[in-house]
Amino acid sequence: MKEKKIEITYKSVAMDELPDEDRELIERAKGMTFRSYAPYSRFHVGAAVRMDDGSIVGGSNQENAAYPSGICAERNAAWQASALYPGMRMKKIAIAARNVGQGGADAAFQGSPISPCGACRQALLEYEHLYGDIEVILYGADSIYIFPSISSLLPFSFTEF
Ligand code: THU
């Protein structure tokens, strides 16, 4: 029997340590939280994808009265990115969230970063495998984390594609 270990390396950074283009991506993700449709959870999530050609594609969570029909901000952004730029690498994705249920329509951003759900990780992983690593920037008002790839957030994922 052999015990094995998986380690994840990620960065904890301050806003002023980031290059302008990453700050811009975060601002787009933050802005997208104001375009969320989340009347049921009142948890407004925004995501912004930086494409290989420098373009940015935003997405927000969209809920539905038939609850499972809703979609997370990350998959919304990634699917829009793939539809608008088929075959193009998504270099980075930034994510931000505001809990409108607690703070009202202009609620502050979450202090701690929120992390993409398992389904979003798997969906993003497929684009990563096809086109190259997608850096993940998790924005929180108190801390910002940067992961080098989706796969670093999803060990032992399904990769038979
Ligand atoms: N949600 C996202 O959009 N992204 C995440 O990473 C986690 C959760 C959405 C789904 C749902 O609309 C709401 O947040 C509450 O779970």
Side-chain angles (χ1 to χ4, degrees):
M1 199 267 277
K2 246 189 186 176
E3 199 167 71
K4 299 187 176 187
K5 191 164 130 190
I6 295 174
E7 277 181 330
I8 307 175
T9 305
Y10 66 100
K11 293 176 190 153
S12 175
V13 299
M15 202 64 150
D16 60 11
E17 293 177 300
L18 289 169
D20 286 351
E21 60 171 32
D22 287 355
R23 283 208 288 262
E24 182 192 23
L25 196 65
I26 287 173
E27 289 309 324
R28 284 289 282 274
K30 289 167 73 177
M32 289 309 297
T33 65
F34 292 91
R35 299 181 180 205
S36 155
Y37 175 70
Y40 306 104
S41 72
R42 306 188 75 199
F43 194 75
H44 290 212
V45 185
V49 175
R50 174 76 73 183
M51 305 304 296
D52 211 18
D53 71 352
S55 318
I56 295 177
V57 180
S60 57
N61 57 326
Q62 300 293 319
E63 298 183 350
N64 192 272
Y67 294 160
S69 304
I71 195 65
C72 295
E74 296 90 329
R75 262 175 293 168
N76 184 351
W79 286 338
Q80 288 199 62
S82 182
L84 289 167
Y85 301 96
M88 189 185 288
R89 180 178 165 208
M90 302 173 199
K91 280 169 54 179
K92 305 182 183 202
I93 184 168
I95 301 155
R98 296 182 306 112
N99 191 339
V100 167
Q102 278 173 10
D106 58 353
F109 287 93
Q110 295 288 109
S112 302
I114 71 146
S115 195
C117 77
C120 285
R121 294 178 199 202
Q122 185 68 45
L124 283 156
L125 184 83
E126 187 151 336
Y127 298 118
E128 175 165 290
H129 264 253
L130 291 169
Y131 310 126
D133 281 358
I134 305 172
E135 190 178 272
V136 183
I137 303 174
L138 304 181
Y139 172 80
D142 303 331
S143 41
I144 300 170
Y145 299 149
I146 301 184
F147 293 81
S149 61
I150 297 291
S151 60
S152 67
L153 284 171
L154 195 63
F156 290 100
S157 49
F158 179 67
T159 54
E160 305 305 310
F161 45 80

